[in-house]
Amino acid sequence: MKNNSKDLIIKLNDNFFQYAIVEKDELVEIKSNRLKSFDSIDKKISLLNEIIKSNPILIKNDWSSVKTSVISTKYTLVPKNLFKKEYRDLYLKNVCSYNKLKGKIDHYHHIKLGFYNVFSIEKKIHNWLKKSFQKNSIFHEGSSLIENFYNNISNNKKHFFIYFDDEVLHILIFEKKLLIYYNFFQIKKNKYLNYIFLIINEFKIDQEKIKMIISGNNSKAYFNKLKSYISKVSILDYNDFQLANNENNYIGLLFNNNL
C-alpha cells in the first residue's frame, strides 16, 4: 500500500462481515460484525446493507483501494502450464457443484508458486461487493493465507501451517518452498484435531519431528491444546499491524495486504 493511501480491507463469509481500515500504513480501525441468520442470498445482502448504512465511515467510499477476501468451498488450484482463462468453469465443475448461472468465477495467479487459484462466489454477493465499494479487488481467503505463509518460509524444509479462523481452520503444507497441500475444515469443538491428524497420517508426517506453526483467532488456546500432541508447535510471530487487545498475527493474516 502507498504511504499516503487510505485502504479498506474486508473479510466476508456466511457469518461475519469484518473490516480493517489502514491509513498511511497504520491500522486505524478494525471491526467484526456477526451476521444474523438468513435464509437466502437476498436476505444476506439486506443484512450487509444494514451494516454499511449504520457506519458513516463505510458509506463515504473514498478509498484508495479495497481488498475483499471471501471463503468459498468452490475453488481449485490449477498448475500454471494447464491454466486457460476460458476453461475456468470446467476446472470447477470437475471438483465441486459449481453453478454457472448463480456463481461468479474469478482467479488469482500465485506467480512465485506457479499455479492459479480458481474460485467462485455467489453472483449476487459479487455484484453487491463491486457496487458497494469502488476499486474493489476480490480474492479467495486461501490465496491470502498461501501468500502470507509462503513469505514466512526461510528454508526448504517441510512447513506445516494452521490458521484458525472464526469457524474454520485452514491447513497448509509447504515443502522445498512449494505448496503441497491446502484445504480448510469446520471447527466443531475438538473434532478439528481429527482433521489435523488425518493430514499428518496422509502425508506420513512424524509428529515428533514436524514443526507446526499456528496462527489466527485464539492462537494461544489452540497452542495449549496442540502441544499435548505435537512436540514442536509454535505461534507465528506476525506483526504487520498492532492494535491493543488483539493478537498481532490474527490481524495481519486476517486482513492480508500482500495480494
Side-chain angles (χ1 to χ4, degrees), residues 1 5-9 63-67 134-136:
M1 296 180 181
S5 65
K6 184 178 180 182
D7 305 280
L8 176 65
I9 309 173
W63 312 106
S64 300
S65 71
V66 180
K67 295 181 180 179
Q134 299 175 11
K135 304 175 183 177
N136 194 354

Side-chain angles (χ1 to χ4, degrees), residues 1 4 16 18 59 62-63 71 81 105-106 115 124-125 135 139 170 211 234 247:
M1 296 180 181
N4 59 352
F16 290 94
Q18 299 163 308
I59 292 176
D62 57 348
W63 312 106
I71 192 72
N81 62 331
I105 199 167
D106 209 338
F115 62 81
K124 289 184 177 181
I125 294 295
K135 304 175 183 177
F139 306 93
H170 302 254
K211 183 179 180 182
S234 61
E247 295 181 62

Side-chain angles (χ1 to χ4, degrees), residues 98-100 102-106 119-123 126:
Y98 167 66
N99 187 322
K100 191 173 183 178
K102 295 182 179 180
K104 173 63 178 180
I105 199 167
D106 209 338
F119 65 96
S120 171
I121 64 173
E122 295 93 344
K123 189 174 293 184
H126 182 276

Side-chain angles (χ1 to χ4, degrees), residues 45-209:
I45 291 174
S46 178
L47 295 172
L48 291 170
N49 280 327
E50 289 178 11
I51 293 173
I52 301 301
K53 291 177 181 178
S54 66
N55 191 321
I57 295 178
L58 294 176
I59 292 176
K60 289 182 178 179
N61 210 355
D62 57 348
W63 312 106
S64 300
S65 71
V66 180
K67 295 181 180 179
T68 301
S69 65
V70 294
I71 192 72
S72 171
T73 58
K74 296 176 175 58
Y75 79 96
T76 186
L77 306 181
V78 181
K80 178 183 177 181
N81 62 331
L82 298 178
F83 177 82
K84 288 188 177 181
K85 186 176 180 180
E86 60 268 28
Y87 295 156
R88 293 181 305 178
D89 59 328
L90 296 178
Y91 300 140
L92 287 183
K93 284 181 179 178
N94 286 329
V95 298
C96 64
S97 56
Y98 167 66
N99 187 322
K100 191 173 183 178
L101 296 177
K102 295 182 179 180
K104 173 63 178 180
I105 199 167
D106 209 338
H107 69 270
Y108 180 78
H109 185 192
H110 292 272
I111 298 174
K112 294 180 180 179
L113 288 163
F115 62 81
Y116 288 80
N117 185 349
V118 180
F119 65 96
S120 171
I121 64 173
E122 295 93 344
K123 189 174 293 184
K124 289 184 177 181
I125 294 295
H126 182 276
N127 293 341
W128 178 84
L129 285 167
K130 287 291 188 179
K131 182 180 178 181
S132 300
F133 304 99
Q134 299 175 11
K135 304 175 183 177
N136 194 354
S137 299
I138 302 173
F139 306 93
H140 189 278
E141 185 175 329
S143 287
S144 298
L145 296 175
I146 289 168
E147 287 295 312
N148 247 325
F149 287 132
Y150 175 78
N151 290 335
N152 279 276
I153 295 175
S154 58
N155 55 55
N156 289 326
K157 293 182 180 180
K158 187 173 288 184
H159 290 72
F160 194 114
F161 291 101
I162 302 178
Y163 177 75
F164 291 97
D165 209 335
D166 294 290
E167 295 176 337
V168 300
L169 74 154
H170 302 254
I171 298 178
L172 303 88
I173 304 176
F174 293 84
E175 188 170 21
K176 296 180 180 179
K177 293 186 178 181
L178 296 174
L179 181 71
I180 62 173
Y181 181 84
Y182 166 69
N183 207 349
F184 62 91
F185 309 89
Q186 282 192 328
I187 298 175
K188 293 182 178 180
K189 296 183 178 181
N190 286 331
K191 288 186 177 180
Y192 71 90
L193 291 169
N194 295 337
Y195 297 122
I196 294 173
F197 291 116
L198 177 66
I199 303 305
I200 287 176
N201 291 333
E202 181 178 338
F203 283 87
K204 298 179 181 179
I205 295 172
D206 189 335
Q207 290 178 220
E208 296 299 319
K209 294 182 179 180

